[in-house]
Amino acid sequence: LTVMGDGPLTLSDLVLSDLEGAVDAGVDGLLLGNTDCNGTIGGTDEIDDCGACGGNNDSCASLSFGEFDNGSVQVLYTTGANVSGFQFDITGGTVSSASGGASEAFDGVQSSETTVLGFSFSGNTISPAENGHLITLDISAVNGSEICFGNATLSDLVDGFSNTLATSTGECFVYNVPVDCAGVQGGDAFLDCNGGCFSGGYLSWVA
């Protein structure tokens, strides 16, 4: 017996009949058991994180920002698939470099000021992970800018064929790098005892 939907299934007022007439089966309210997402009584299939019944979280992926430190930010990935490639845009700032993390398995990592992509000429893949470190970006932006993902896509590799995964992205973050007394982000200039901004070449108290 198979039904659609999940939850307990009961028999109520079941009547059996033969050639001689009807007989009450006496099973009013008998609990047959729970059904899984496929409607199978006693089945164990569940909806995975991708919304697939009986899936292994391998038909979708997500990207999010991790630790941000002085202009560098980690990009994290979550998927149950073997990743054969990725591509995403960055808005709100300028990407100056992209490297490290699991992307080191790829020999085709490239970046422009707005776009980052990675793939393998030799067919290497990146293993499934939950909040795994995919790559680190060096970004420049005006303090207070909102840095976001755009047009994110990850793909898998199954039996030699690449398939696009349904890819979602996490929240943006606000870019904020400390500035020195000269207004330089991450600079090393400091105020001397006379209140002058010293950047290594001059002290205001020197006559």
Side-chain angles (χ1 to χ4, degrees), residues 60-146:
C60 66
S62 65
L63 293 179
S64 60
F65 291 115
E67 180 180 352
F68 175 73
D69 182 30
N70 202 31
S72 295
V73 63
Q74 292 184 345
V75 174
L76 309 180
Y77 75 104
T78 296
T79 185
N82 291 306
V83 178
S84 64
F86 63 85
Q87 180 172 333
F88 56 86
D89 294 337
I90 293 294
T91 63
T94 300
V95 178
S96 57
S97 67
S99 62
S103 71
E104 292 185 348
F106 290 163
D107 50 12
V109 176
Q110 304 173 19
S111 65
S112 68
E113 293 184 349
T114 58
T115 303
V116 180
L117 62 89
F119 58 92
S120 173
F121 290 103
S122 57
N124 288 343
T125 59
I126 295 174
S127 298
E130 182 175 358
N131 290 324
H133 178 197
L134 178 62
I135 198 167
T136 295
L137 309 180
D138 289 326
I139 299 176
S140 60
V142 176
N143 277 347
S145 298
E146 191 173 57

Side-chain angles (χ1 to χ4, degrees), residues 46-53 55-61 78 80 130 168:
E46 297 179 349
I47 302 294
D48 70 3
D49 292 340
C50 302
C53 179
N56 297 310
N57 303 322
D58 58 359
S59 61
C60 66
T78 296
E130 182 175 358
S168 60

